[in-house]
Amino acid sequence: MYVPGHFAESNTEVLHSLIERNPLGILVTNGGSGLDANHIPFELSKDQGQLGVLHSHVARANPVWQDIATGDEALVIFREAHAYISPNWYPSKHDFHKEVPTWNYLVAHAYGRVTIRDDERYVRGMVARLTRTHEAGQTVPWKMTDSPKEFIDTLLKAIVGIEIEITRLVGKSKLSQNKEERDIRSAGEILKARGEPKMGDAMLLAADAKAERTKA
C-alpha cells in the first residue's frame, strides 16, 4: 500500500482499535491456486506475539485452508470508513480553483504468518469468544449452549481455524491532511451533515491536529 508520510498511521494502539471496531477483514492469500480473498470476521488477541494475533475460521468446504500452509504469509485488510470528497467542499477551491476530487479512507493492513488450526478445541474456543464479543450488545445474548450440543458439535466439525501472528502493521488515515486546516474542517462538517459521521468526525479531528501544529 502506498502511504505518503502525511497519511501514515503507525500507532499500534490506534490500529488495534480500528481492527477491533471493524472485525470483518479481507484475508488475502497467495497459495497453490494463486491469489484469493475471503471476507471473514477476526478476533484480535492484542497481548499475543509482538503485534498481536488474529483468530478466525472458514468453512471446511472453503479450499483456502488447504491451498495455503502453516508458515505462509498472508495479508488481512480492515477498513473503517471511506468517503468521496468534492473539491467544492474546500474553501480554498473557491479562492484559487486548484483542487480536484479525492477519496478519503481509514484502513489497517495486517501482515502475518498463518497457522492452520484444524482441531476442535481451538475452533470451539475461538467461536465462543467471537460469539461473546458480538452478542454482548444484545438484550439477551445468544450462547452456544442455547443450541443442542449435538447440533453445535456437528457445525464445529464443518469449520477450520486460521490463526495469523501479525508481523507487520501498516495503517493509512487519508483525511486530506495535505490540505489547509479550513479545507479539512469544511469537508468534515459537510460529511457529517450528509450522514457520514465516521469520516466527518475523523476529518474534524485531523483539522484540530493541524491547527495545534500550526500554533506550535
Side-chain angles (χ1 to χ4, degrees), residues 7 28 32 53 94 97 106 109-110 121 126 133 151 162 180 187 200 211:
F7 298 146
V28 181
V53 174
H94 304 284
H97 306 285
L106 300 165
H109 287 194
R121 182 176 179 182
M126 183 267 305
T133 297
F151 174 73
I162 292 181
E180 295 182 25

Side-chain angles (χ1 to χ4, degrees), residues 21-22 80-81 106 175 192 195-203:
R21 292 193 304 270
N22 306 275
E80 177 149 49
L106 300 165
L175 301 168
K192 291 194 70 174
E196 300 185 70
K198 280 191 176 182
M199 282 304 300
D201 285 337
M203 290 191 69

Side-chain angles (χ1 to χ4, degrees), residues 6 177-179 184 205-216:
H6 41 261
Q177 297 98 318
N178 55 330
K179 305 297 181 183
I184 306 171
L205 286 174
D208 291 343
K210 188 149 197 171
E212 286 299 318
R213 288 195 299 272
T214 303
K215 289 179 183 178

Side-chain angles (χ1 to χ4, degrees), residues 83-87 90 100-104 174 176:
Y84 172 79
I85 306 297
S86 170
Y90 295 147
V100 295
T102 193
W103 209 288
N104 284 351
K174 187 173 180 292
S176 299

Side-chain angles (χ1 to χ4, degrees), residues 11-46:
N11 187 306
T12 300
E13 290 185 6
V14 170
L15 297 176
H16 278 172
S17 181
L18 186 152
I19 291 170
E20 289 179 322
R21 292 193 304 270
N22 306 275
L24 184 69
I26 303 173
L27 171 63
V28 181
T29 56
N30 189 12
S33 300
L35 285 171
D36 193 13
N38 285 270
H39 301 251
I40 52 180
F42 286 87
E43 182 85 352
L44 172 65
S45 295
K46 295 184 291 188

Side-chain angles (χ1 to χ4, degrees), residues 131-193:
T131 301
R132 283 197 299 271
T133 297
H134 299 293
E135 284 287 325
Q138 299 297 316
T139 304
V140 182
W142 181 87
K143 306 181 297 297
M144 292 172 67
T145 52
D146 287 350
S147 296
K149 182 179 182 302
E150 296 77 12
F151 174 73
I152 295 296
D153 289 347
T154 299
L155 291 181
L156 290 176
K157 290 175 183 177
I159 59 178
V160 177
I162 292 181
E163 179 181 288
I164 300 173
E165 181 183 358
I166 301 173
T167 56
R168 183 160 61 106
L169 266 177
V170 179
K172 187 172 182 178
S173 297
K174 187 173 180 292
L175 301 168
S176 299
Q177 297 98 318
N178 55 330
K179 305 297 181 183
E180 295 182 25
E181 181 264 334
R182 61 173 177 158
D183 291 338
I184 306 171
R185 191 173 304 281
S186 173
E189 290 171 347
I190 289 172
L191 283 174
K192 291 194 70 174

